[in-house]
Amino acid sequence: MTQEARLKRVRMMADYQFGKGAGAVLFDDDAKFLLSKTKRIRQVHSGGERIATVRARDGFFTLSMEGARRLHGHLKAPAMRVSVVDDAVPFVAKGKTAFCKHVISVDPEIRAMEEILVTDKDDKLIATGQLVLSPREILCSTQGAAVLVRNGVDRDDKEDKDEE
């Protein structure tokens, strides 16, 4: 598969997962691909940074913080977002789980197990992760995890937590 074909494929995948135009925003023309032993796309890098990893189990992307920043700038609030209270921001920014009791708003269009952006009340990006429950369940619940955070803006290491 050629570089152009891989780029077209990942852009199409991102458009499907995150909405029209997301692929072009996430993946520049200079994108580099890290392939698995079976020659499948495993990671996408751009500008020397990892942008996204393809989950082997379902073929969807997990985002690095750079990928999340690019997507955050592209999507209008509240799309693909969960917002948390100010008290939870320092913990979530360090990569800790965002709990239901700390959520103040959630995009009603997202579904459980989707890759989402976590923001503060002013829509400042603080983390990226996987939604655990449906938006309705999160807003009705006062306990339990809402988002399993993969990367936070204040995390020291740059690799995904639990990218499988």
Side-chain angles (χ1 to χ4, degrees), residues 115-131:
E115 201 68 17
I116 55 95
L117 308 173
V118 183
T119 64
D120 66 9
K121 67 179 181 0
D122 299 320
D123 196 41
K124 180 181 174 202
L125 181 67
I126 57 170
T128 181
Q130 187 176 40
L131 197 66

Side-chain angles (χ1 to χ4, degrees), residues 1-61:
M1 184 181 286
T2 67
Q3 171 77 8
E4 293 79 26
R6 285 188 183 109
L7 185 59
K8 184 176 179 182
R9 173 175 275 178
V10 295
R11 284 179 173 170
M12 223 171 19
M13 291 164 55
D15 285 352
Y16 175 77
Q17 185 175 348
F18 301 114
K20 188 174 183 176
V25 169
L26 283 171
F27 308 120
D28 297 331
D29 292 336
D30 72 340
K32 304 276 186 262
F33 301 95
L34 181 66
L35 304 178
S36 69
K37 290 179 186 175
T38 59
K39 304 294 182 215
R40 292 184 182 195
I41 299 167
R42 191 71 182 116
Q43 292 184 351
V44 185
H45 295 251
S46 184
E49 287 193 63
R50 184 180 57 81
I51 303 300
T53 300
V54 179
R55 285 192 306 228
R57 74 169 180 261
D58 60 9
F60 284 108
F61 289 113

Side-chain angles (χ1 to χ4, degrees), residues 43-46 48-53 62-67 151 158-160 163:
Q43 292 184 351
V44 185
H45 295 251
S46 184
E49 287 193 63
R50 184 180 57 81
I51 303 300
T53 300
T62 62
L63 297 171
S64 68
M65 278 313 299
E66 177 57 26
N151 293 301
K158 300 293 182 192
E159 289 301 312
D160 273 346
E163 55 182 42

Side-chain angles (χ1 to χ4, degrees), residues 90-131:
F91 301 101
V92 175
K94 288 182 178 153
K96 304 295 183 189
T97 300
F99 291 97
C100 292
K101 66 183 178 181
H102 299 127
V103 173
I104 51 178
S105 69
V106 58
D107 175 6
E109 300 297 316
I110 54 179
R111 295 181 299 268
M113 308 316 287
E114 281 191 322
E115 201 68 17
I116 55 95
L117 308 173
V118 183
T119 64
D120 66 9
K121 67 179 181 0
D122 299 320
D123 196 41
K124 180 181 174 202
L125 181 67
I126 57 170
T128 181
Q130 187 176 40
L131 197 66

